[in-house]
Amino acid sequence: MQILVTGATGFVGGNLVDALLAADHEVTILTRSRERYDGPEAVRVVEGNVLEPGSFDDALDVDLAYYLIHSMGAGGDYAERDRRAARNFSEAAGDAGLDRVVYLGGLGADGDNLSPHLRSRREVERILGLGEYDLTVLRAAIIVGAGSISFQLIRQLAGRLPVMITPKWVHTKCQPIAIDDVIGYLVGVAKTPETAGETYEIGGPDVLTYAEILRETRRQLGARLRIVPVPVLTPRLSSWWIRFVTDVDPAVARPLIDGVKNSVVVTDTRIQDILPRDRRHFEAAVADALADEPATTPTPKARLGRLFRGSKP
């Protein structure tokens, strides 16, 4: 099958390209800079930008496309950029006669006062659904693996803070999923015609609170984590101190932290019957991720000094 992967330079996209090549698919990737792409040589590289209509048409002569693009971290109004990108792609894919598009979105109930980040993911899903092709949507929560920004945030918080003063969102439930299982589902729906036009929720076998996620990660780093919940520390306030404690880009960390108020748990398990697989438990997924990432390092003293003393940089 001829397949296009957008967002191929990202965490999920890079892993997906490797899996598709291993399954003997012909893979095209779309990138804004051919020179900056350092992935497998077996792929066809097309240079283009979904924010510029007409610049990426040459990439659409395929049977199926994965849409893995999001603009967090680029600064400014990422939701507006994501709307424009999805609209441009949807129209171009329809004009090119593309048969199928697969989109990886976020878990969360529509009526659950979704965070801006999750609302944006759902809006992209809606826009892509307007296209003249069959759209398959997979919705996931935290993806655990080496290179995942969400897991990097958890790993650094758990590794650098032996005691955490946290708001009540630490009791919010989440159903994380290992990167290998995400890739398995993404590859699986491509070869399963009955998944065309459907939306599925994917998750690992464990439903955990964020406190449990942080404690287990800390345990695997060789220590214990004490969590002290307080009622007044909102997710938005949390995002401000996270910028001092972690190396994660604040433009990415803030939307992610704003979203922890939403329970992200699988309620529709149909995908497990269509594509049965032995999913990785969270404990094993964390062990895999930590084995593939460099060891956590302490936060620089100067950075902590600014946090606790309020000194200027």
Side-chain angles (χ1 to χ4, degrees):
M1 186 183 299
Q2 294 181 323
I3 294 177
L4 167 66
V5 178
T6 67
T9 59
F11 165 60
V12 174
N15 282 278
L16 177 60
V17 167
D18 291 339
L20 292 172
L21 290 173
D24 294 326
H25 294 292
E26 297 179 30
V27 179
T28 297
I29 70 103
L30 176 66
T31 177
R32 287 177 293 179
S33 173
R34 186 187 303 269
E35 289 72 23
R36 294 177 62 183
Y37 179 70
D38 60 355
E41 295 182 359
V43 306
R44 177 174 69 116
V45 179
V46 175
E47 194 171 74
N49 188 340
V50 290
L51 291 174
E52 300 174 4
S55 71
F56 58 95
D57 292 350
D58 290 346
L60 296 171
D61 56 342
V62 295
D63 303 308
L64 178 147
Y66 289 94
Y67 192 86
L68 304 175
I69 294 172
H70 57 83
S71 301
M72 280 195 314
D77 189 350
Y78 68 86
E80 172 56 27
R81 281 196 304 277
D82 279 346
R83 280 193 293 270
R84 288 194 289 120
R87 191 175 301 114
N88 291 341
F89 184 87
S90 174
E91 293 173 356
D95 292 342
L98 200 62
D99 293 329
R100 288 187 66 186
V101 172
V102 178
Y103 172 61
L104 179 62
L107 272 177
D110 288 331
D112 196 24
N113 190 24
L114 293 178
S115 69
H117 168 230
L118 290 176
R119 284 202 308 270
S120 176
R121 289 296 183 93
R122 204 55 51 83
E123 187 173 22
V124 168
E125 181 181 315
R126 180 187 64 78
I127 294 170
L128 291 175
L130 299 176
E132 297 178 3
Y133 45 74
D134 291 322
L135 175 68
T136 300
V137 176
L138 298 181
R139 295 175 177 172
I142 292 174
I143 299 175
V144 182
S148 163
I149 293 178
S150 296
F151 182 69
Q152 181 184 357
L153 189 62
I154 290 167
R155 172 185 177 274
Q156 292 189 14
L157 286 174
R160 294 175 173 175
L161 295 176
V163 178
M164 289 182 62
I165 299 175
T166 61
K168 60 184 180 181
W169 57 254
V170 294
H171 302 302
T172 302
K173 291 184 177 180
C174 175
Q175 192 164 353
I177 181 170
I179 181 59
D180 287 350
D181 290 324
V182 174
I183 299 302
Y185 285 128
L186 285 170
V187 174
V189 296
K191 61 182 181 182
T192 310
E194 65 188 277
T195 63
E198 296 289 337
T199 297
Y200 301 100
E201 298 177 346
I202 60 175
D206 304 307
V207 176
L208 307 166
T209 65
Y210 284 103
E212 291 170 327
I213 287 172
L214 288 163
R215 285 195 179 104
E216 173 58 25
T217 304
R218 175 80 174 176
R219 184 191 70 80
Q220 294 203 31
L221 290 169
R224 295 182 62 184
L225 174 65
R226 183 185 178 193
I227 292 178
V228 182
V230 294
V232 293
L233 192 60
T234 67
R236 180 154 297 187
L237 287 173
S238 300
S239 69
W240 286 107
W241 61 259
I242 280 173
R243 68 184 297 180
F244 292 98
V245 178
T246 77
D247 300 325
V248 177
D249 183 349
V252 176
R254 182 165 180 170
L256 292 177
I257 291 297
D258 282 347
V260 297
K261 67 177 183 179
N262 295 115
S263 176
V264 281
V265 175
V266 171
T267 58
D268 176 3
T269 61
R270 289 177 299 142
I271 193 70
Q272 297 175 30
D273 296 324
I274 298 169
L275 296 172
R277 58 182 295 112
D278 186 13
R279 297 164 295 155
R280 299 286 281 171
H281 282 276
F282 180 70
E283 179 179 353
V286 170
D288 291 343
L290 293 179
D292 291 336
E293 285 193 340
T296 302
T297 56
T299 303
K301 291 182 180 179
R303 212 169 178 189
L304 284 176
R306 290 200 297 271
L307 174 62
F308 292 111
R309 295 192 305 271
S311 60
K312 296 181 180 180

